[in-house]
Amino acid sequence: MSGRRFVVVGASLAGLRAVEAARKSGFDGPITLIGAEPHLPYDRPPLSKAFLDGADLPAFRGEEVLRDELGAELVLGTAATALDTTAGTVHAGEREFGYDALVIATGARARTLQGTDGLRGVHTLRTRDDAQAVRRALDAGARTVVVGAGFIGSEVASAARKRGRDVTIVEALPTPLVRAVGQTMGAACAALHTRAGTDLRCGVGVEAVEGAGTVERVRLTDGTVLAADLVVAGIGAVPATGWLAGSGLTLDDGVVCDETLFTGAPGVYAAGDVARWHNPMFGRHMRLEHWTSAAEQGAVAARNALDPAVAKPYSTVPYFWSDWYGSRIQFVGVPATDEVRVVDGGPGGDHFVALYREGDRLAGALTLNGQTQIMKYRGLIARGAAWTQGLEFAGRRRSAAMERV
Amino acid sequence: MKIIVDWNRCTGLGICESLAPGVFEVDDAGDLVLLSETVSDGDLEGVRQAVEGCPTEALRLEP
């Protein structure tokens, strides 16, 4: 396989796993890893969790491991600007990189609040630099306003409360997390904020973020004015596909791929938050912003790009987790809307399990502090379990718990 | 093969359990429990995936 050139664009989890998988599969040709951030690949979930509480954030691998053991040329702090699928080249910085196999793993970038460019104290939370700035502000005792009651925003609020700081979350929709977990369970998760002393305001928008050079206040659409030294926008992310304009790849909320993560251009595969691929497990295209799928797709995309003749599909039951106020929220599958049933605990309590039905199939499960149950549902969903099987399993769990009491 | 868990790193995310349910289980308290420390041939592939799939890199396999 030597002589062929493998290029990975995007030096986060999916990109790193692509490099590692290439070497594990026996590829001994040159590898180039191109990343927009100046940092070595690092882990993102801790940025809004342990890192905000003061934990260290080491890089995934040291520079010598990447360079010497994995034999990758590192081109960091250099955003890719163009892809030519006919010539087989990637442009980044002042250079042009020819490839025979390419994995696109440029991830997503955080949406920003309109009209806040250059205003100090206003941040998103996507990168190590973002997280460092937010942590410094929290350390300094900032009055904090979080815009968006999604997972990132909720974790920031949780970190602020952990330090005993007052924090307000402003959410434009009447109920948070509806797209992620549905109406009822979105409300159940939101109740955690209120119980922890976070001021959650739903159904109200941000009119303006104001300040002279540094943020001073947030003006809401209902006329309320919130004093603020730190504003964190957790209003979603958009796939980083701007550099692929004109490449001929199909772009539609991400790089559209088939079930093997193939983009349709020779040798070009995509992985991680940027990829919208056909997930055979649910028979539909999806784009995930989850740790597990990014890691796994990175590896699959690399193996498939280097040996397309035997390309394998990537099929998965999506999984994500989020930590709020010492509680763990976990979700597996898809948040189907045909029916959502709470099968254990209650939406107002410290523990619950909710199941999601699509047709007659068990499609998803959400738990709050249900760590011992969540993966059993992931297994059921992966095996294509019927809704009734999900309910039966839940019934057996409840009976077993009753016997233990 | 033997499984080594770095208990300082493990936070009980449970991906290992979904990949090798015969070997790993997260308990009610959210802590990982090893159902077996040695790995049978049948479980080996799942455990390898679990080692690779652990978000906190808390798992190792040793001969």
Side-chain angles (χ1 to χ4, degrees), chain B residues 14-61:
Chain B
I15 290 167
C16 52
E17 181 180 336
S18 71
L19 293 166
V23 179
F24 304 100
E25 185 174 19
V26 180
D27 68 12
D28 278 320
D31 297 322
L32 178 63
V33 178
L34 278 187
L35 302 176
S36 145
E37 276 195 16
T38 52
V39 185
S40 68
D41 288 351
D43 285 327
L44 192 56
E45 185 46 35
V47 172
R48 283 221 171 93
Q49 288 179 19
V51 169
E52 198 161 304
C54 174
T56 58
E57 301 193 334
L59 300 175
R60 275 188 301 128
L61 256 179

Side-chain angles (χ1 to χ4, degrees), chain A residues 189-349:
Chain A
C189 291
L192 293 178
H193 290 303
T194 318
R195 293 214 299 273
T198 293
D199 181 4
L200 172 65
R201 300 176 183 218
C202 294
V204 60
V206 171
E207 181 79 45
V209 180
E210 300 170 343
T214 300
V215 65
E216 292 165 30
R217 71 195 83 82
V218 179
R219 195 176 294 280
L220 306 185
T221 50
D222 65 0
T224 309
V225 176
L226 303 168
D229 312 299
L230 168 67
V231 174
V232 181
I235 50 177
V238 287
T241 55
W243 68 285
L244 295 169
S247 65
L249 296 187
T250 307
L251 306 177
D252 178 13
D253 183 30
V255 178
V256 179
C257 307
D258 71 6
E259 61 184 21
T260 67
L261 302 166
F262 179 50
T263 65
V268 183
Y269 290 70
D273 295 13
V274 78
R276 171 175 294 280
W277 98 114
H278 187 265
N279 184 354
M281 185 76 72
F282 293 92
R284 73 195 67 161
H285 273 79
M286 44 177 82
R287 186 177 71 79
L288 303 175
E289 296 178 359
H290 304 160
W291 193 98
T292 310
S293 45
E296 292 173 349
Q297 286 178 352
V300 172
R303 288 194 294 265
N304 288 351
L306 290 166
D307 202 354
V310 294
K312 291 193 176 64
Y314 175 65
S315 181
T316 193
V317 176
Y319 166 51
F320 67 80
W321 73 95
S322 189
D323 296 330
W324 304 10
Y325 312 108
S327 284
R328 178 160 280 175
I329 295 168
Q330 291 167 292
F331 187 88
V332 293
V334 295
T337 51
D338 289 347
E339 184 178 351
V340 180
R341 195 182 296 188
V342 177
V343 294
D344 193 14

Side-chain angles (χ1 to χ4, degrees), chain A residues 12-394:
Chain A
S12 192
L13 174 63
L16 172 70
R17 291 301 177 95
V19 171
E20 291 183 330
R23 289 302 182 218
K24 258 184 219 160
S25 75
F27 177 72
D28 59 3
I31 297 180
T32 305
L33 178 63
I34 301 170
E37 289 181 60
H39 309 293
L40 292 168
Y42 58 87
D43 203 20
R44 289 189 203 277
L47 292 179
S48 52
K49 302 179 176 77
F51 182 78
L52 289 186
D53 297 338
D56 290 339
L57 185 69
F60 277 125
R61 307 283 177 265
E63 191 169 337
E64 55 295 342
V65 172
L66 291 163
R67 280 192 206 283
D68 305 338
E69 286 177 34
L70 291 165
E73 181 194 2
L74 300 177
V75 183
L76 301 177
T78 308
T81 48
L83 166 66
D84 184 334
T85 54
T86 310
T89 54
V90 169
H91 294 258
E94 301 297 306
R95 294 173 62 188
E96 190 177 278
F97 300 86
Y99 65 81
D100 299 290
L102 174 70
V103 169
I104 295 170
T106 40
R109 65 174 176 74
R111 275 201 196 94
T112 54
L113 286 168
Q114 273 187 354
T116 60
D117 274 2
L119 195 59
R120 283 188 299 274
V122 182
H123 299 283
T124 54
L125 189 37
R126 176 85 196 169
T127 66
R128 182 178 200 124
D129 297 344
D130 295 338
Q132 223 133 27
V134 170
R135 183 162 97 177
R136 262 199 302 272
L138 290 173
D139 285 343
R143 293 165 298 176
T144 304
V145 174
V146 174
V147 181
F151 290 107
I152 299 284
S154 297
E155 290 182 338
V156 172
S158 174
R161 291 300 300 142
K162 199 164 185 177
R163 293 151 180 261
R165 311 273 188 249
D166 288 341
V167 56
T168 305
I169 304 180
V170 181
E171 166 60 48
L173 297 174
T175 309
L177 296 171
V178 171
R179 216 163 48 91
V181 299
Q183 186 80 30
T184 312
M185 302 323 291
C189 291
L192 293 178
H193 290 303
T194 318
R195 293 214 299 273
T198 293
D199 181 4
L200 172 65
R201 300 176 183 218
C202 294
V204 60
V206 171
E207 181 79 45
V209 180
E210 300 170 343
T214 300
V215 65
E216 292 165 30
R217 71 195 83 82
V218 179
R219 195 176 294 280
L220 306 185
T221 50
D222 65 0
T224 309
V225 176
L226 303 168
D229 312 299
L230 168 67
V231 174
V232 181
I235 50 177
V238 287
T241 55
W243 68 285
L244 295 169
S247 65
L249 296 187
T250 307
L251 306 177
D252 178 13
D253 183 30
V255 178
V256 179
C257 307
D258 71 6
E259 61 184 21
T260 67
L261 302 166
F262 179 50
T263 65
V268 183
Y269 290 70
D273 295 13
V274 78
R276 171 175 294 280
W277 98 114
H278 187 265
N279 184 354
M281 185 76 72
F282 293 92
R284 73 195 67 161
H285 273 79
M286 44 177 82
R287 186 177 71 79
L288 303 175
E289 296 178 359
H290 304 160
W291 193 98
T292 310
S293 45
E296 292 173 349
Q297 286 178 352
V300 172
R303 288 194 294 265
N304 288 351
L306 290 166
D307 202 354
V310 294
K312 291 193 176 64
Y314 175 65
S315 181
T316 193
V317 176
Y319 166 51
F320 67 80
W321 73 95
S322 189
D323 296 330
W324 304 10
Y325 312 108
S327 284
R328 178 160 280 175
I329 295 168
Q330 291 167 292
F331 187 88
V332 293
V334 295
T337 51
D338 289 347
E339 184 178 351
V340 180
R341 195 182 296 188
V342 177
V343 294
D344 193 14
D350 289 327
H351 162 77
F352 58 69
V353 178
L355 302 184
Y356 295 70
R357 177 172 72 79
E358 186 168 87
D360 56 8
R361 180 180 183 186
L362 175 67
L366 171 74
T367 61
L368 173 67
N369 297 322
Q371 288 97 321
T372 194
Q373 299 200 40
I374 190 72
M375 288 304 166
K376 296 173 178 71
Y377 287 108
R378 192 178 194 219
L380 282 172
I381 296 166
R383 293 192 292 278
W387 174 245
T388 49
Q389 288 174 287
L391 294 181
E392 281 160 21
F393 179 78

